[in-house]
Amino acid sequence: MFQVDVDYLKKAKKRKDYAGRVILVFLTIGGLVFLLPLVYLVCTAFKPPEELFLYPPRFFVSNPTFDNFKQLTMVTANSLVPFTRYLFNTVLITVAYIFCLVWITTMACYPLSKHKFPGKNGLFKLVTTALMFVSAAAGIPLYLIITSLHIDNTYLVYILPGLASPTVLFLMKQFMDQVPNEIFEAGKIDGASEWKLYTEIALPLLKNAQATAVILTFSGIWNESATSTTYIYKEQLRTLGFFMSTIGGGVARQGVAGVAALIMTFPSIIIFVIQQSRVMDTMAHSGIK
Amino acid sequence: MAKQVVKLKKQQAHKTTLKFGSFERRRTIEGWTFSIPWIVGFIWFMLIPLFLSVRTSFFITKLTDPYGFGGESTFVGFDNYIDVIKDPAVGEVVFNSFLQSLYKVPIVVAFALFVAVLLKQDFPGRTVFRVIFFIPVILAGVIMAYLFSDSIGSISVFSGMLSSGGMGFLSEIMDVSIISQIGTIMWSSSVEILIFLAALQSVPIILYEVVELDGATAWESFWHVTLPYISPFVILNAIYALVDSFVDVSNPVMGILEEMTSAGTKYGMASALSWMYMLATLLVILIFVLLTRRWLR
């Protein structure tokens, strides 16, 4: 019945290929701009001192050396607290923070999306307005609250203040909205309690949203250094991010700072590469409608 | 007719049991129990500090009594606000940052939409490109500060690389600062690209098939299918970009705030400034939403 116009199909395919090439060119140019800082970071890490202080500064390295890496090992060997302690602190804080964050926000998003209860709309409006809060306005009161709770100088100060994140809750809620209500109704008919509905149905279905939350928050908490400077006086409780930022203090250690920054970046990139397909998925599904 | 009345009565009866019955109450309790950890954290570490900073903004404070509860600080009413408005330096910086946002936001949104449309196409290496365009989100905190700081030795990446080395010829043709600004703007559009990608994926493929059958070109189908369909996301992204540029740490207003708070005695003024700034931001967003409301589906 239908005659396939082979010529037309061939032409269409060719046209598409041509378009594909144009796209690739544009994306490569754009991608280069996005890659530049990373390349610059890598280059700086391998630059010998005389190249670091060239004026005008050069982008690429011409005589790459491992000197900066050697210096970094020397600096870390001489630090007040063993390097591994900083690493341990950071890993502990990151894992604890992300676990709690995901737990708290998934729990809050479940009734916000699937239940009807008085005060729900007000709560959600508050969340959306909170996205626009200028947190700098609350800096000093926040400091005083933290000191009055006596959680300064403990691990808790890294974890507690940032847990109630409106951005993550907003994302989770949008994703939860996409999950059909019928699934939960079915569970309820089978006699599942609310807790069971949350752990057995909501959590597995939110896996992609969780991955997104991990990516969006990971690099922030992994590189944390401001909290260490403001609230922590014991060197043993400070983070890797803080340690790395102190290394770059002097002009003489620019290269070492570059190496430190490079090393700090790697975990974030690895986490992203592992989780990225899930994130794209989430973004597609959450749709923010 | 009679059947309908019976049905209506049944519905009403159902409604009343819902309202006063235990079901509704249980749901309320459950709802609040599930959200309570988040709410407590939110109130404690966000709402209370914000409330206190409102209070601070009406006082000339002393370090020992930052909120004016102890009686050591003096209540000055709106004096702090008036002082901020009168300060010519502050006014200029705020005005400039608003002006900057006005031209930055359209560029960010247009660029993000463009890239998202390209990234949505099916071509080899798509994942790699998607990762590349997401790099700015990965490189947060210390590293960003390191890359974009203007201290000796580590000059801001974009101006650094353009004024030097391999691409020196560019700086001869054009003003370097413009290019470095474009670079920075592009760099701040990562999240917007992601949102657009998601939006594009939510457009039903059927629509494209229909217009293709009607003989529309890709260009036409973009303007008549894609853009109308994702217009809410364009507005969402514009708002996101606006907020992002207003509260960005590199925004000079944030610098003024920091300066005021680190001086120690100007907490009141700093709070007043940040509240006025926030209200102005909200006002801009409100105006924007009102203007664009007719494009929303």
Side-chain angles (χ1 to χ4, degrees), chain A residues 167-216:
Chain A
T167 328
V168 179
L169 181 61
F170 189 74
L171 184 88
M172 290 276 186
K173 198 242 168 200
Q174 298 299 345
F175 190 76
M176 197 69 180
D177 284 347
Q178 308 295 107
V179 178
N181 294 339
E182 287 79 10
I183 298 179
F184 293 98
E185 280 159 20
K188 213 171 283 167
I189 288 167
D190 287 347
S193 63
E194 282 299 326
W195 180 252
K196 198 124 203 186
L197 288 178
Y198 163 68
T199 51
E200 304 282 318
I201 299 180
L203 275 186
L205 284 174
L206 283 175
K207 256 187 189 153
N208 295 351
Q210 290 171 28
T212 317
V214 169
I215 288 188
L216 288 180

Side-chain angles (χ1 to χ4, degrees), chain B residues 145-167:
Chain B
Y146 172 74
L147 284 171
F148 287 97
S149 68
D150 268 316
S151 64
I152 331 152
S154 69
I155 220 156
S156 160
V157 195
F158 292 111
S159 54
M161 66 108 197
L162 285 163
S163 62
S164 67
M167 304 203 195

Side-chain angles (χ1 to χ4, degrees), chain B residues 94-235:
Chain B
V94 171
F95 181 74
N96 278 341
S97 88
F98 271 81
L99 213 63
Q100 250 187 18
S101 303
L102 279 186
Y103 79 76
K104 256 187 197 170
V105 170
I107 298 176
V108 165
V109 173
F111 176 74
L113 180 60
F114 181 65
V115 172
V117 169
L118 296 189
L119 281 178
K120 207 222 151 198
Q121 315 294 320
D122 203 9
F123 60 88
R126 186 170 65 165
T127 319
V128 177
F129 280 107
R130 284 185 173 182
V131 175
I132 288 173
F133 281 94
F134 205 61
I135 281 178
V137 180
I138 305 175
L139 298 179
V142 184
I143 294 137
M144 286 293 280
Y146 172 74
L147 284 171
F148 287 97
S149 68
D150 268 316
S151 64
I152 331 152
S154 69
I155 220 156
S156 160
V157 195
F158 292 111
S159 54
M161 66 108 197
L162 285 163
S163 62
S164 67
M167 304 203 195
F169 66 95
L170 265 178
S171 61
E172 280 163 29
I173 327 171
M174 288 179 264
D175 186 4
V176 176
S177 71
I178 290 176
I179 303 176
S180 98
Q181 267 195 10
I182 291 173
T184 329
I185 288 172
M186 277 168 80
W187 238 56
S188 56
S189 57
S190 263
V191 177
E192 284 85 350
I193 292 174
L194 234 83
I195 293 175
F196 271 136
L197 256 177
L200 289 173
Q201 269 152 350
S202 74
V203 183
I205 300 168
I206 303 170
L207 289 181
Y208 291 113
E209 284 168 358
V210 168
V211 293
E212 208 184 325
L213 278 177
D214 285 346
T217 59
W219 178 255
E220 282 163 348
S221 78
F222 172 78
W223 289 104
H224 296 289
V225 177
T226 314
L227 204 57
Y229 203 90
I230 64 164
S231 58
F233 295 90
V234 177
I235 290 157

